Amino acid sequence: MAAYETPLLAAVAVFFLGALVLTVPWMVYTYRKYGFLSIWTTVVVYSFVFYLIAALFLVLLPLPSVRDTCQFQKPGTQHVSLVPFFFVGDVIRSSGVVLSRPGTYAAVLRESAFWQALFNFFLLLPLGVYLRYFLRERKFWKRAFAIGFGLSLFFEVTQLTGIYGIYNCPYRVFDVDDLILNSTGALFGFLMAPVLLALFPSRADVLAKSERIEELRFVPPLSQLLAIVVDYAIVRIAWIVYGLVLPAGVVSEFVFMSAGLLIVLFVVPMLGRGRTIGMRVLRIRLAGADGGVPSWIALLKRTAAIYLPWLATIAARALEGYEPAFGTPEYMFAAWLTVGALVLQAVIWLVIVVHMLVVLIGRGKRAFYFDRAAGVEEQRDVE
């Protein structure tokens, strides 16, 4: 098991780093496609990505410590094995199995060659299960077998070329038995997948739920928050770009971010008939009490409700940097002011987090405070 620990830990690390970057884009894509965040679809896609990363790392890792791998290999070392089912004879020879004596068959379980062959069979078996979920129908078994063969061939060529020239000699063998076992495993997984997939929602179930939500024009609370995240990310990215071009400080950051939030949360929806940029991405719009475009006063109230908690955070951060000389009256005043600001900030965000959890758990039975304060509601944008 130690040989698999390093590849799997590396796969976990790479997967989580990628998830940190791609989760928001994935959520945006999911909401645009289905109208809600399908937990099952997310589990399938994320687990599929992790599986592919883990499979690749299991094949390639651990990597040699030096690029010149030829120096550790004897002259005439064979890097290619093109004899089909060679592993069968290898297992029989090394285990001492006698085909006419069934009592000797158990010796196979003690041979590493047997377990290596079994590993290669199971390596792409999950791929077949995923392909059955995506392709759905059994008639596509040839396509599943071809995909399994293609992925296995990619693995073998990557090994044979020393990861395409990174290493000057292959550090693992190109084995035709691996192609056979990998491809067969993928096909087996494809054929037996219905037994496993019957326990979970199908893609048809997800699409049916999407159609029901589309008819109700219901906007899930998480998609409402996601629209705000997209709007904030746009302003933050613009600030980062600004900082790369022009000198930037605390004051300029405050002014830039404040102006950016005002434009994105107030000016854009006022000119865009109740749609911020994030809302356009997620196909959402704000509506007033009469179902029409909200008034500028309502949009301003909503902007202020979102802006003020951010302002409290910035103010608390600014006070942390204010340090008068120790022992002066100004020092005691600054200390108490800083503590008060931090406590106030913590209370504000605690209340907001609890409020958001209540709305999310209630699945939209209550509106978020910023919409309720402005007297607006969020609807699906059908235009």
Side-chain angles (χ1 to χ4, degrees):
M1 295 299 295
Y4 305 123
E5 183 177 344
T6 298
L8 291 177
L9 289 177
V12 170
V14 171
F15 171 76
F16 275 106
L17 287 175
L20 289 175
V21 177
L22 299 177
T23 291
V24 171
W26 164 252
M27 293 176 68
V28 171
Y29 167 78
T30 302
Y31 276 114
R32 284 183 62 88
K33 183 173 182 178
Y34 300 115
F36 68 103
L37 178 62
S38 172
I39 301 300
W40 171 238
T41 301
T42 301
V43 169
V44 169
V45 172
Y46 273 49
S47 62
F48 181 56
V49 172
F50 173 74
Y51 161 70
L52 291 178
I53 296 173
L56 178 63
F57 285 8
L58 283 168
V59 170
L60 298 182
L61 300 182
L63 297 174
S65 58
V66 296
R67 293 187 62 185
D68 185 14
T69 52
C70 293
Q71 64 176 311
F72 300 109
Q73 300 177 14
K74 298 178 181 179
T77 299
Q78 295 294 319
H79 299 123
V80 178
S81 175
L82 299 179
V83 180
F85 302 106
F86 180 81
F87 76 94
V88 176
D90 188 28
V91 170
I92 293 175
R93 285 190 299 271
S94 59
S95 63
V97 169
V98 180
L99 298 179
S100 60
R101 296 169 57 189
T104 63
Y105 292 177
V108 170
L109 300 178
R110 296 193 295 268
E111 295 303 319
S112 61
F114 168 79
W115 291 108
Q116 182 63 37
L118 194 64
F119 166 78
N120 284 319
F121 177 79
F122 280 105
L123 180 64
L124 295 191
L125 187 146
L127 175 66
V129 177
Y130 283 109
L131 291 177
R132 185 60 177 268
Y133 177 81
F134 295 128
L135 300 177
R136 287 181 282 185
E137 298 184 26
R138 191 172 186 271
K139 66 180 181 181
F140 295 117
W141 67 269
K142 294 180 181 178
R143 188 177 302 180
F145 181 80
I147 293 174
F149 180 84
L151 183 59
S152 178
L153 183 62
F154 166 73
F155 289 159
E156 296 300 315
V157 170
T158 302
Q159 293 174 339
L160 182 63
T161 58
I163 312 183
Y164 305 100
I166 294 179
Y167 300 97
N168 59 1
C169 278
Y171 60 94
R172 293 189 181 179
V173 177
F174 180 104
D175 195 340
V176 70
D177 282 340
D178 291 350
L179 291 174
I180 296 172
L181 291 167
N182 291 162
S183 306
T184 304
L187 179 60
F188 182 78
F190 183 85
L191 296 177
M192 58 80 65
V195 177
L196 177 63
L197 296 179
L199 303 174
F200 304 100
S202 65
R203 291 184 64 193
D205 295 332
V206 175
L207 294 175
K209 182 177 179 180
S210 175
E211 292 176 358
R212 291 195 300 270
I213 291 178
E214 188 71 28
E215 292 175 358
L216 295 173
R217 298 184 67 182
F218 172 71
V219 180
L222 194 56
S223 64
Q224 300 175 30
L225 290 181
L226 185 58
I228 294 177
V229 171
V230 172
D231 290 330
Y232 180 80
I234 291 172
V235 179
R236 175 56 65 177
I237 292 172
W239 164 249
I240 292 174
V241 173
Y242 174 90
L244 295 175
V245 178
L246 299 173
V250 176
V251 176
S252 58
E253 178 184 4
F254 170 74
V255 173
F256 185 96
M257 290 295 297
S258 297
L261 291 173
L262 180 65
I263 293 172
V264 170
L265 297 176
F266 176 69
V267 177
V268 171
M270 188 171 64
L271 300 177
R273 300 182 59 80
R275 305 174 186 87
T276 67
I277 299 174
M279 289 181 173
R280 286 187 179 276
V281 171
L282 290 165
R283 298 173 181 169
I284 303 171
R285 73 179 185 91
L286 292 171
D290 59 354
V293 178
S295 65
W296 69 270
I297 296 178
L299 291 175
L300 188 60
K301 289 180 179 178
R302 184 176 186 273
T303 301
I306 298 174
Y307 174 77
L308 289 177
W310 177 84
L311 179 62
T313 302
I314 296 300
R317 191 175 69 181
L319 288 173
E320 291 177 9
Y322 176 53
E323 297 182 359
F326 180 76
T328 63
E330 292 82 4
Y331 178 85
M332 293 300 299
F333 174 76
W336 282 109
L337 187 62
T338 301
V339 171
L342 291 174
V343 171
L344 179 61
Q345 177 191 3
V347 171
I348 290 174
W349 280 109
L350 178 62
V351 172
I352 289 176
V353 169
V354 171
H355 164 73
M356 289 183 175
L357 289 175
V358 170
V359 176
L360 290 172
I361 294 173
R363 298 184 179 182
K365 293 179 181 179
R366 298 183 58 182
F368 285 113
Y369 76 94
F370 41 81
D371 288 339
R372 190 164 51 193
V376 299
E377 64 176 1
E378 301 188 27
Q379 301 177 349
R380 285 195 173 279
D381 191 359
V382 295
E383 297 183 12

